[in-house]
Amino acid sequence: MREFEATAEATRPPTWAHKQRALFDLTADAVDRFVDDYTGPDGEPFWPPDDHVGVDGFDDVVEGFYNWPLVYAMGGDERLLDHARRVYESALERGAATETPFGHPMVVDEFEQCRDWFHLGEGNLYTYNMGLAAPDDDAVVDRATKFADLYTADSETGNYDAENRVVRGPMNGSMGPEFCDFSAYEHHPYGADYRWARHGLPWRDLEFDEAADLLDPANEERLFEVLNERCAKGDIPLNLNITSLMTNAYLHTGDDDYREWVTDYLDAWRERTAENGGIIPDNVGRSGEIGEYTDGSWYGGYYGWSWGGWHYIGIGPTVAAENAVLLEGDREYLDFPRSQLDVLIENGIEVAEDDVHSTLHIPHKYGGEGDYHYDASGVLTEDDGEVLWRDGWYEFQPPTDDPYAVHLWYMSMRDEDRSRVRRLRDWGEQDWRRVDPRAKTKHDDGHEYAWLAYLDGEFSDYPDRILEATREHVDERLRLFDAEGNEPTTVDEDYLRDRNPAFHKALLQLTMGAPQPVYYGGLVMAQVRHFDARRERPGLPTGVAALVESVTKQGIELTLVNTGARQEEVVVQAGAYGEHRFTTVETDGAERGEEDSDSASDGDEGTGALRVRLPAGSRMSIRAGLDRFADDPSYEHPWSETAS
């Protein structure tokens, strides 16, 4: 490990450094208050109530604190980790005491009994963040392997058929895939008031003549019958999120069985996509046959092309390809999500915004011919208001908040993938040099493009602006706490999630050079990660701020600033899991133990981490080449290398 010492003074630290450290401090204080006001004496959530029966909502409870370990792992106070552990344990107990319509609890053996991987993906973000925060915690490791083992071929759950390489149900979990009944009590908010008219599931080829028929309560029972017939069994692309569960177990253990599960299952979906002419099918039967329960149709599955479209379809290929690249180092896996984006681009429609710019409206859904009159704001329509349908594709609109193209470029660092991001720019609505002071959604999306503009040198004050906006998000939650008078005015499955005062996106982008993970089940993918060498814990030391100023295919530029009153030492690791290696390293500091060797490389092999000494009131800039995905990834902290 190469060691450096900062020599540049920072008697007037940059404003972003003060704002970043203030955000860490404010977040910890806000979480203290959140726990006091919105959980019981032992951190117990107030939902579900004692008499609740259902299967929905456990993920929403976990979303109320899922990112506290992540903020801790970036440099937040240890209170964040302590609170997260306590609330999670209490949430598990409450879930295990909540009944479902199926004769067993909502949470069985610490895992949800039978849910889809849109919701399981959200709830398990906590599991993955704990790997970054506390990989030496036996409970964290035990859960990582226990959860992954629910999906191995020999699991008693029956979730996975290794011979056919299929997950045997769109809903699965600790009780297996057989407890899927869409008409069960409070299983889903489907019913006469649901948005059936906007979804092509499950009606266009059946006895219903028009979309309005789906809003008639008299047809509700039949709709559930068809949904159960078509969508209660077999595999769907969203199940590719399970690769994160397997990758998480590998990062803890290094067991190649988990690695092979990821690549085998991903390969199965790539083969199905090739069989289907290059478009990923949204439903596969338990035999491995495409369209086994949909009369041979490759579309019409649960969370599929007609139901939610690209927003949901894009999750699995993106997440699984990222995981495979992390584990294998082979970026060829990215051809899978890339090919799906290209299908949409090839079928897109250009719409002129002005004399210079036009926006590509890509289709988000696919379905058969029929009546497409429904509320469809933001998509292209015919003159009579019917949603434009062309060769099966419909709901043509700009890809506003889906991060899949950004993640593709981030993993590949290919110029053509960066060009694809620009090709998909919405010139009519989305200003790339704008920061919204309010979170747009529960996962605070919408700032990926502003961050890319900063990395391109087009938005120099982005660090200050995004930190100010994040501070405002926290302050907004604190004002809500004040207004409610230390207790929630409403208690439902969303009450914790909607009040969580921790926001991590700005810290990921600025300190680790990382986009937010795909929210519905992705792992953190990063250029660098920081550790406090003196305290031997993850994250930036107290008073130290970091800013990744450039991310290119050659490497990164990073500035470290010590705003505190004492000397600190930072270990800068290449990659979130040590998967990258630094090659050439140039600094404006001094290399300890060497003379005039600031730009020398550590041999041909490079180094996995740098150790930086930062006296009080100092700063150091680093320009480093990166050999990406060169090393085996692991949650292991770099103390052994540090000690040597």
Side-chain angles (χ1 to χ4, degrees), residues 330-369:
D330 187 350
R331 274 161 275 192
E332 186 274 336
Y333 288 106
L334 298 172
D335 284 347
F336 186 30
R338 183 182 292 119
S339 68
Q340 301 309 288
L341 272 169
D342 286 345
V343 166
L344 303 181
I345 290 171
E346 290 164 6
N347 285 280
I349 298 173
E350 295 276 2
V351 176
E353 302 290 355
D354 52 41
D355 292 339
V356 178
H357 301 116
S358 62
T359 295
L360 182 67
H361 288 56
I362 63 172
H364 282 62
K365 294 184 180 179
Y366 192 98
E369 292 186 81

Side-chain angles (χ1 to χ4, degrees), residues 43-118:
E44 184 179 11
F46 301 142
W47 191 92
D50 291 340
D51 59 350
H52 182 78
V53 177
V55 303
D56 193 15
F58 184 76
D59 61 294
D60 299 306
V61 172
V62 177
E63 286 176 90
F65 55 89
Y66 79 100
N67 60 349
W68 301 353
L70 178 57
V71 177
Y72 161 78
M74 289 187 284
D77 193 277
E78 194 159 350
R79 288 172 289 159
L80 294 167
L81 184 58
D82 293 340
H83 285 317
R85 283 185 170 121
R86 194 157 57 96
V87 179
Y88 182 64
E89 296 294 340
S90 295
L92 288 176
E93 291 178 8
R94 205 164 186 91
T98 300
E99 292 301 316
T100 68
F102 308 121
H104 56 253
M106 177 186 290
V107 173
V108 177
D109 200 18
E110 301 187 321
F111 199 86
E112 285 199 69
Q113 55 94 38
C114 185
R115 290 285 277 148
D116 59 77
W117 270 91
F118 182 81

